[in-house]
Amino acid sequence: MNASATASPDAAQPPRTVLVTGAARRLGREIAIAAARAGWRVAVHYQTSRHDAMDTLAACASQSSAGGIFDADLSDETAARALLPRVVAELGAVDAVVNSAALFDFDDAASFGHACMERHWRVNTAAPVLLAQALADHLAARGAGPASGCVVNLLDQKLFNPNPDFLSYTLSKAALQSATTLLAQALAPRVRVVGVAPGLTLTSHLLDEQRFAELHRQSPLGRSSTPEDVAGAVRFALDNRSITGTTLLVDGGQHLM
């Protein structure tokens, strides 16, 4: 029996490709590796952490087809617009974008100013919209059919359980939540757009391990989201072709508090 007869029906199909922004570190890295484990070829975006991006790519390549690393300063409109076409030029067809990269600087009502708001707006809101636009244009040029592409926007459960700290960050994510709805309408039927809103997921310099564990225990389910939980929700959003214009809250019920 020849090789073509024994091959699986999908053997000749090229791998689906997803661009994950901010994939060099932390949650973006977990999402990228989970996508690769599910069979996606991953384009790893980073801004300055090239070594970490190469580590992420190696981890992805051990799970699926080799992708590539792509640097871009998402606060720069020209760089943000050029990112997806660069991935297409190197890897071929792109099927999805996960907007994980985010700026998270502290300000509040007392310290708010235009400069801080604009920095957050550019990275957290404008760049995801530009990447969704670029994916839609690419899919149209390919003549792709309905629900052939997907954009997943990483949001935050604090949008559903608001508090006034990190004001510019919160406003930029609230705008991205609205953009998720508007883009789902504007880019249908070819592109689905889905939000994933994690709860408290990773420690940082702002939160020590003891306080992190305490806050997890205070969630209605006694736990908040883990990186694996969030990555699993992103994978679900990427693969379920009936979901668009909605947000999956992955937070152990924190938004109910």
Side-chain angles (χ1 to χ4, degrees), residues 52-71:
D52 292 327
M54 293 184 70
D55 284 347
T56 299
L57 180 63
C60 291
S62 71
Q63 304 286 337
S64 184
S65 302
I69 61 171
F70 301 86
D71 66 313

Side-chain angles (χ1 to χ4, degrees), residues 80-171:
R81 287 187 180 278
L83 178 56
L84 192 131
R86 286 171 53 206
V87 177
V88 171
E90 182 167 329
L91 299 181
V94 175
D95 305 282
V97 174
V98 177
N99 287 303
S100 179
L103 183 63
F104 184 65
D105 287 343
F106 179 81
D107 69 344
D108 56 18
S111 59
F112 176 85
H114 282 206
C116 187
M117 182 66 243
E118 183 173 352
R119 289 196 305 273
H120 284 83
W121 161 260
R122 283 177 173 268
V123 175
N124 297 357
T125 312
V129 173
L130 292 176
L131 289 170
Q133 178 189 76
L135 179 65
D137 289 346
H138 166 63
L139 291 170
R142 283 167 47 190
S148 56
C150 183
V151 174
V152 180
N153 293 323
L154 269 289
L155 301 172
D156 194 309
Q157 69 83 28
K158 83 192 299 284
L159 299 176
F160 304 85
N161 177 24
N163 60 70
D165 64 0
F166 293 90
L167 182 59
S168 289
Y169 164 81
T170 304
L171 290 171

